[in-house]
Amino acid sequence: MRTYLVTGGAGFIGSNYIHYMFRKYDNEIRIINVDALTYAGNLENLKDIEDRDNYTFIKADITDKDAISKIFEENDIDRVVHFAAESHVDRSIRNPEVFVHTNVMGTAVMLNCAKAAWELPDGSYKEGKKFLHVSTDEVYGSLPDDGKSFFYETTPYQPHSPYSASKASSDMLVKSYIDTYHFPANITNTSNNYGPYQFPEKLIPLIINNALNGKALPVYGDGMNIRDWLYVDDHAKGIDMVQEQGRLGQTYNIGGHNEKRNIEIINIIIETLQEILPDSDPRKANVSKDLITYVEDRKGHDRRYAIAPDKIKEEIGWEPETMFKDGIKKTIAWYLEHMDWMENVTSGDYQKYYEDMYSGK
Ligand code: NAD
Ligand code: DAU
């Protein structure tokens, strides 16, 4: 039975990945989820799997060398899937240091501990051990708004925000371990994910939540920035396929072939809410395009992201499966059915962040 060490499994993509892996492999694998439970980590995301015999949660910080090496000493880990990170661009603009600490130092600790546990005296590695570093398309910078240029694995890194700079640094560290120590790793660089369990500081759940509550829908700048949206289950499947079928040492871009301007996304959410909320639901009256509010632009706001997922398609056979029109409906329906989840995560610290973040805009 393969044992996985998943970092950041209580976050958005990590928790969806864990669900996906148990749906796919059931009792054939064991998962150890290591998460520090920052504001973005939420064990409620994993409530339905927490009693499984083949699942263990360990609260630990990836920058804590002793805690992480102890996990490797006590468990024969076969796969590392490294999600844990500070992930929100706006927070990185306000407080860059924690991004450097978690994303760069944390990745260094994960690499070092895995290497120490897996390396044999002759410098080779124990059979079958693999490390997958989950990264972002933001490391490539911004594309012109021309609809025909794309991010490839060979595109030079040109990160603009402290978040993307910290992810670029962590990618470079992984590459350095591959080149220097022949460390058995892969990197995936993925476009914007959407789906259940996403923290409502990110565009899609923030707009859903605000629209339902009749609150302003903040659009940065002219609303014409483009993101390439990928349903989170398709991402989970891509990660698993890269780890099992990818060539070790390689980077694979994972993208949805689904470019949308921010204002389009906001309009789609409003229209979908108006379509699926029953007339008897009092929140329906709140949902209106009049809530759209143009606010000051994000500093250093990247104009366009678009991934060319050619390599992963040709080498591994992965392709995005979820059409945006279906994925966004499923996502909105999930949030409507889980308003208690939304209320739990938007109370407390998040409330303060939200007020600070949007008060001047
Ligand atoms: P998230 O913010 O929802 O979750 C991050 C998780 O990491 C949380 O559970 C948090 O508690 C945990 N964490 C943070 N600091 C930690 C630390 N020091 N030690 C242990 N755990 C810690 O993030 P997400 O959106 O799920 O993103 C997951 C990964 O995927 C990140 O590496 C991100 O850069 C990458 N990524 C995200 C997207 C996206 O659209 N969300 C796209 C491409 C890549
Ligand atoms: O591309 C992958 C990246 O996608 C990941 O690496 C990041 O972890 C993830 O957060 C996401 O980054 P973005 O900055 O693209 O996502 P966000 O949801 O914050 O913003 C999406 C777009 O919407 C962006 O152009 C900014 C805009 N926006 C965002 C918010 C929160 C608004 O116009 N208003 C808002 O209130």
Side-chain angles (χ1 to χ4, degrees):
M1 183 190 275
R2 281 202 298 266
T3 298
Y4 285 75
L5 194 171
V6 175
T7 71
F12 163 50
I13 307 177
S15 59
N16 278 287
Y17 167 82
I18 292 175
H19 282 115
Y20 171 83
M21 292 298 278
F22 281 135
R23 281 199 305 275
K24 174 158 187 202
Y25 295 105
D26 195 11
N27 290 323
E28 289 167 32
I29 57 167
R30 179 172 162 240
I31 294 182
I32 301 169
N33 172 17
V34 174
D35 197 299
L37 299 183
T38 67
Y39 80 93
N42 185 356
L43 289 181
E44 222 182 310
N45 300 0
L46 297 157
K47 233 176 14 202
D48 49 332
I49 55 107
E50 69 188 4
D51 294 331
R52 294 185 74 108
D53 292 337
N54 55 345
Y55 170 76
T56 310
F57 172 71
I58 299 175
K59 185 173 185 306
D61 192 315
I62 54 164
T63 64
D64 180 347
K65 250 191 286 193
D66 294 341
I68 301 299
S69 55
K70 186 161 173 268
I71 296 168
F72 276 97
E73 276 157 26
E74 291 177 353
N75 300 278
D76 183 14
I77 305 292
D78 300 299
R79 301 280 185 274
V80 173
V81 184
H82 177 37
F83 293 98
E86 288 292 336
S87 70
H88 190 38
V89 173
D90 292 324
R91 287 187 191 248
S92 83
I93 294 167
R94 298 178 147 237
N95 182 15
E97 282 177 24
V98 63
F99 283 71
V100 177
H101 183 67
T102 295
N103 300 358
V104 185
M105 276 311 296
T107 301
V109 168
M110 290 307 303
L111 287 166
N112 256 343
C113 290
K115 178 173 173 289
W118 293 348
E119 199 173 22
L120 295 167
D122 67 357
S124 67
Y125 291 87
K126 291 180 187 165
E127 184 77 31
K129 306 293 187 189
K130 295 180 185 185
F131 187 110
L132 189 141
H133 176 62
V134 180
S135 192
T136 170
D137 59 357
E138 297 197 14
V139 297
Y140 299 122
S142 185
L143 290 165
D145 191 348
D146 60 5
K148 59 180 188 203
S149 47
F150 296 97
F151 294 140
Y152 291 89
E153 287 78 0
T154 48
T155 303
Y157 276 28
Q158 206 175 4
H160 295 127
S161 72
Y163 162 69
S164 53
S166 70
K167 290 298 289 188
S169 311
S170 67
D171 291 10
M172 292 301 178
L173 263 180
V174 179
K175 287 177 203 272
S176 78
Y177 272 61
I178 293 168
D179 292 346
T180 309
Y181 308 114
H182 304 293
F183 184 69
N186 287 105
I187 300 171
T188 51
N189 293 92
T190 307
S191 58
N192 287 59
N193 281 217
Y194 69 101
Y197 304 114
Q198 186 167 31
F199 197 82
E201 64 189 354
K202 308 282 166 64
L203 182 70
I204 289 183
L206 186 141
I207 296 298
I208 297 172
N209 190 37
N210 282 17
L212 288 171
N213 289 297
K215 283 170 70 176
L217 308 178
V219 183
Y220 298 168
D222 62 3
M224 299 298 275
N225 300 64
I226 295 171
R227 296 293 181 266
D228 177 3
W229 294 93
L230 176 68
Y231 192 64
V232 66
D233 279 354
D234 289 351
H235 185 193
K237 182 174 180 178
I239 287 171
D240 182 43
M241 287 176 79
V242 167
Q243 193 156 48
E244 295 317 313
Q245 298 166 47
R247 284 182 292 140
L248 276 176
Q250 293 289 308
T251 290
Y252 293 89
N253 284 351
I254 310 184
H257 259 322
N258 179 47
E259 292 180 51
K260 294 261 180 288
R261 296 189 191 276
N262 294 337
I263 193 67
E264 279 181 75
I265 294 282
I266 294 170
N267 282 321
I268 292 171
I269 293 172
I270 296 170
E271 285 156 18
T272 310
L273 280 171
Q274 285 169 335
E275 180 194 319
I276 66 179
L277 279 171
D279 290 341
S280 55
D281 191 318
R283 294 170 301 178
K284 189 165 186 170
N286 293 335
V287 180
S288 157
K289 290 193 181 170
D290 295 343
L291 296 171
I292 292 174
T293 309
Y294 286 86
V295 298
E296 187 192 327
D297 206 357
R298 173 184 279 173
K299 291 184 174 63
H301 198 174
D302 288 333
R303 193 61 173 173
R304 171 171 170 256
Y305 302 146
I307 287 246
D310 300 5
K311 180 175 173 182
I312 189 173
K313 184 179 173 198
E314 278 157 26
E315 287 191 15
I316 298 177
W318 178 91
E319 274 188 287
E321 289 170 18
T322 311
M323 300 288 291
F324 187 74
K325 67 175 176 38
D326 302 325
I328 194 70
K329 265 199 179 156
K330 251 197 314 196
T331 302
I332 292 174
W334 186 88
Y335 285 102
L336 288 174
E337 283 157 22
H338 293 81
M339 286 316 287
D340 50 339
W341 181 92
M342 188 63 100
E343 269 148 39
N344 291 346
V345 299
T346 50
S347 56
D349 280 354
Y350 178 64
Q351 205 57 40
K352 187 175 171 331
Y353 162 79
Y354 191 85
E355 276 152 23
D356 290 350
M357 172 73 199
Y358 292 97
S359 61
K361 291 185 167 173

